[in-house]
């Protein structure tokens, strides 16, 4: 009888010793992974390390997780000089002008970057979100070798609760390798523009790589994040538009305009966010990037939509009311002094501009949202910000007469007649393949824009009407 008891006691002692040894190892492991904030339990520490390993980065020594700005600055973070013109390579963009990166190139680069980050003794991990609404946002995790990069990204991303990344189905990962070798920094190109590094984004992988000082180019960074998060936001029921949001007396106004026009009119003070990017969802609307308020916020669905163009010849009236079809056309064309910017954006995007214009058309028609066009120029000069705000107040008061009763120049009425067909049921059958040819080949010229809607997919009933429009517009000039 004593034999089994003795063996049980020895086993219990061994188990106790093993447990004590395990606790000692856990304490030592926890100390080697100390972080200032926000969590202090070992379960989260282990979970974080495993999650980072799932992104290809093995924690060598320490991980500093979700630090506040003051703590980042204590750790050596500083606001670096803002840069511009950092090269961006994207896989999956449909708008020309952005260099592509192949699947093999990105995979090789990602392997080099994750190996570099795995060799860094202190890593900085920061979680955030693109989109100011928790109902429709895209979670982002930053893995960086530089606290200054995390400090800058903290000003761009919205705050998000701890562990929200682990509960998200498709989070985005940003890899910051600021101290990686020059050979890797030059792997995608050479020249003076690559001296400070580059950025590479893969929409399929939901990943963004920032090499060198690329994190200091906030404009490029926001453009890349807009492209990467667009599929996620769309899958969650949002319509990501390259526009701005204004708040007037509790009403949300969706504004489409070229960036240069926004700067010329000095509208930064009346915009919810000075960065382009608005997501419209069934529950409301929100902006993509963090504002001074810092707290996520959901606004009402847009009660008005305003499209801003600029025409020095005064062919466009100062104000005009648009039908949903005309609004979709102006949004798609993006007319600005003889130049056409598809969807008013030069940033890369995986969303087909035609599909986005169709979504805008459907949204305006279903909600019966009033839509207006403002000409930002008068007598060849930009109107000032105060005059622009006054025009918006006029529009919000709904005192503007319908377009049919306005005194509009003849060739402008022809222009609108040409796009009136968008309001007909046949619009769903039009593919406008030649528009895609114009986008892939460069900016839309006048002639290409006028006749690009004429395609072989138009049925016989539409063909007769559009041929008459073509004859009208042939005789018109801007």
């Amino acid at each position: 009888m004593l034999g089994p008891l003795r063996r049980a006691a020895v086993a219990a002692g061994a188990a106790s010793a093993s447990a004590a040894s395990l606790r000692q190892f856990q304490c030592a492991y926890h100390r080697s992974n100390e972080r200032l904030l926000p969590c202090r339990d070992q379960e989260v520490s282990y979970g974080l390390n495993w999650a980072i390993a799932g992104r290809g980065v093995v924690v060598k020594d320490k991980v500093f997780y979700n630090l506040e700005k003051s703590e980042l600055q204590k750790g050596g973070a500083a606001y670096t000089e803002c840069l511009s013109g950092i090269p961006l390579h994207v896989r999956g963009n449909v708008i020309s002008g952005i260099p592509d990166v192949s699947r093999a190139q990105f995979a090789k680069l990602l392997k080099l970057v994750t190996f570099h980050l795995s060799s860094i003794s202190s890593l900085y991990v920061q979680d955030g979100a693109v989109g100011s609404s928790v109902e429709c946002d895209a979670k982002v995790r930053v893995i960086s070798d530089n606290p200054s990069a995390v400090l800058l990204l903290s000003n761009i991303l919205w705050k998000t609760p701890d562990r929200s990344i682990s509960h998200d189905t498709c989070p985005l990962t940003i890899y910051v390798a600021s101290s990686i070798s020059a050979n890797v920094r030059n792997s995608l190109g050479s020249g003076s523009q690559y001296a400070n590094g580059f950025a590479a984004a893969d929409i399929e992988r939901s990943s963004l790589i920032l090499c060198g000082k690329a994190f200091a180019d906030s404009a490029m960074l926001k453009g890349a994040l807009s492209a990467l998060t667009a599929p996620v936001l769309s899958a969650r029921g949002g319509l990501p538009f390259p526009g701005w949001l204004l708040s007037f007396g509790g009403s949300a106004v969706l504004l489409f305009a070229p960036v240069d026009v926004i700067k010329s009119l000095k509208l930064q003070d009346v915009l919810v966010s000075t960065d382009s990017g608005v997501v419209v969802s069934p529950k409301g609307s929100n902006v993509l990037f963090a504002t001074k308020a810092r707290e996520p916020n959901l606004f009402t669905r847009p009660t008005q939509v305003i499209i801003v163009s600029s025409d020095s010849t005064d062919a466009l009236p100062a104000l005009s009311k648009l039908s949903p079809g005309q609004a979709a056309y102006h949004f798609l064309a993006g007319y600005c002094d003889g130049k056409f910017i598809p969807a008013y954006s030069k940033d890369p995007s995986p969303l087909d501009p035609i599909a986005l214009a169709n979504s805008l058309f459907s949204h305006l028609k279903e909600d019966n949202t009033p839509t207006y066009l403002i000409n930002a120029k008068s007598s060849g000069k930009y109107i000032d910000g105060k005059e622009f705000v006054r025009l918006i107040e006029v529009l919000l008061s709904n005192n503007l007469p319908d377009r049919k009763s306005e005194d509009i120049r003849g060739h402008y009425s022809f222009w609108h007649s040409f796009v009136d067909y968008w309001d007909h049921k046949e619009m769903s059958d039009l593919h406008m393949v030649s528009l895609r040819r114009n986008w892939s080949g460069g900016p839309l010229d006048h002639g290409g824009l006028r006749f690009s809607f004429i395609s072989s997919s138009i049925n016989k009933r539409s063909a007769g009407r559009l041929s008459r429009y073509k004859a009208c517009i042939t005789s018109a000039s801007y």
Side-chain angles (χ1 to χ4, degrees):
M1 186 68 182
L2 291 177
L5 292 176
R6 186 179 293 110
R7 286 194 298 270
V10 171
S16 177
S18 299
S21 177
L22 178 61
R23 284 195 299 271
Q24 184 179 6
F25 168 77
Q26 288 174 338
C27 291
Y29 186 84
H30 181 53
R31 284 196 300 270
S32 69
N33 287 275
E34 284 181 346
R35 289 160 288 115
L36 298 179
L37 273 179
C39 49
R40 313 198 186 281
D41 59 281
Q42 292 159 246
E43 179 185 352
V44 175
S45 178
Y46 294 146
L48 179 63
N49 289 340
W50 276 109
I52 297 173
R55 297 290 183 268
V57 178
V58 178
V59 177
K60 182 180 180 181
D61 188 8
K62 295 180 181 180
V63 178
F64 296 96
Y65 178 52
N66 278 355
L67 301 186
E68 298 291 339
K69 292 181 180 180
S70 59
E71 294 163 335
L72 286 168
Q73 290 172 332
K74 289 179 181 178
Y79 288 101
T80 59
E81 180 183 0
C82 295
L83 299 178
S84 61
I86 295 291
L88 170 64
H89 298 258
V90 181
R91 286 199 64 240
N93 65 300
V94 297
I95 297 180
S96 61
I98 303 297
D100 291 332
V101 56
S102 68
R103 181 189 297 269
Q105 282 179 310
F106 191 90
K108 181 179 179 181
L109 179 62
L110 182 60
K111 186 176 181 179
L112 293 173
V113 168
T114 53
F115 180 80
H116 163 76
L117 292 174
S118 299
S119 67
I120 301 298
S121 59
S122 296
L123 289 178
Y124 294 84
V125 175
Q126 200 82 3
D127 293 341
V130 174
S132 61
S133 166
V134 294
E135 287 83 2
C136 187
D137 65 2
K139 300 295 189 298
V140 179
R141 168 158 286 173
V142 182
I143 305 174
S144 174
D145 63 356
N146 191 332
S148 298
V150 174
L151 183 63
L152 184 143
L153 285 161
S154 297
N155 292 330
I156 294 176
L157 302 175
W158 291 98
K159 289 185 177 181
T160 187
D162 296 335
R163 302 194 186 190
S164 62
I165 293 290
S166 62
H167 298 154
D168 196 80
T169 56
C170 46
L172 168 70
T173 306
I174 301 178
Y175 302 89
V176 182
S178 63
S179 58
I180 202 167
S181 66
N183 291 334
V184 177
R185 291 206 305 266
N186 297 330
S187 60
L188 292 184
S190 59
S192 58
Q193 70 270 31
Y194 285 87
N196 289 319
F198 67 89
D202 189 330
I203 294 174
E204 291 180 5
R205 292 175 180 261
S206 296
S207 300
L208 174 63
I209 295 173
L210 305 175
C211 287
K213 296 180 180 179
F215 65 87
D217 189 342
S218 59
M220 176 278 297
L221 185 57
K222 292 172 183 176
L225 289 174
S226 298
L228 286 167
T229 56
V232 178
L233 297 172
S234 299
R236 292 175 177 173
L239 292 175
F241 290 117
W244 282 264
L245 202 63
L246 298 91
S247 182
F248 277 87
S251 299
V253 179
L254 181 58
L255 176 69
F256 295 112
V259 176
D260 295 341
V261 173
I262 293 292
K263 292 181 179 179
S264 298
L265 297 179
K266 299 179 181 179
L267 299 177
Q268 290 82 351
D269 292 339
V270 296
L271 298 174
V272 173
S273 172
T274 56
D275 299 308
S276 174
V278 177
V279 182
V280 179
S281 67
K283 295 184 178 180
S285 54
N286 66 91
V287 295
L288 290 182
F289 302 110
T291 62
K292 293 180 180 179
R294 297 302 302 163
E295 293 299 327
N297 195 4
L298 180 66
F299 299 88
T300 61
R301 287 169 66 86
T303 54
Q304 282 90 14
V305 173
I306 296 175
I307 299 176
V308 181
S309 294
S310 61
D311 176 62
S312 300
T313 65
D314 290 336
L316 296 179
L319 296 175
S320 57
K321 191 172 184 178
L322 303 177
S323 67
Q326 293 163 353
Y329 172 85
H330 282 284
F331 166 78
L332 188 61
Y335 179 72
C336 184
D337 279 333
K339 298 179 181 179
F340 296 92
I341 306 172
Y344 282 106
S345 176
K346 297 180 181 179
D347 291 329
S349 174
L351 302 179
D352 189 332
I354 295 176
L356 198 57
N358 271 320
S359 298
L360 177 63
F361 169 78
S362 300
H363 167 72
L364 297 177
K365 197 164 187 178
E366 290 172 3
D367 289 5
N368 196 25
T369 305
T371 308
Y372 306 95
L373 179 73
I374 293 181
N375 184 6
K377 283 193 173 181
S378 178
S379 301
K381 296 181 180 180
Y382 279 110
I383 61 177
D384 58 28
K386 292 182 179 179
E387 175 64 15
F388 184 81
V389 172
R390 188 191 70 80
L391 292 177
I392 293 179
E393 291 173 347
V394 170
L395 299 180
L396 295 180
S397 65
N398 293 321
N399 290 330
L400 187 69
D402 187 77
R403 181 183 64 83
K404 293 181 181 179
S405 63
E406 289 184 70
D407 181 18
I408 302 177
R409 296 174 185 265
H411 60 276
Y412 182 66
S413 64
F414 285 142
W415 187 7
H416 267 176
S417 296
F418 177 52
V419 297
D420 275 343
Y421 77 88
W422 204 315
D423 292 308
H424 293 272
K425 293 181 180 179
E426 289 89 343
M427 179 56 215
S428 60
D429 300 324
L430 301 178
H431 301 294
M432 299 183 289
V433 291
S434 53
L435 260 183
R436 292 187 176 90
R437 182 175 65 251
N438 276 308
W439 276 315
S440 62
L444 295 168
D445 59 15
H446 288 189
L449 180 67
R450 290 173 185 172
F451 307 120
S452 59
F453 292 94
I454 313 296
S455 71
S456 59
S457 62
I458 300 175
N459 57 38
K460 294 181 180 179
R461 184 171 53 179
S462 301
R465 180 170 63 253
L466 289 177
S467 63
R468 293 193 295 272
Y469 291 153
K470 178 178 178 180
C472 291
I473 292 181
T474 302
S475 62
S477 61
Y478 294 102

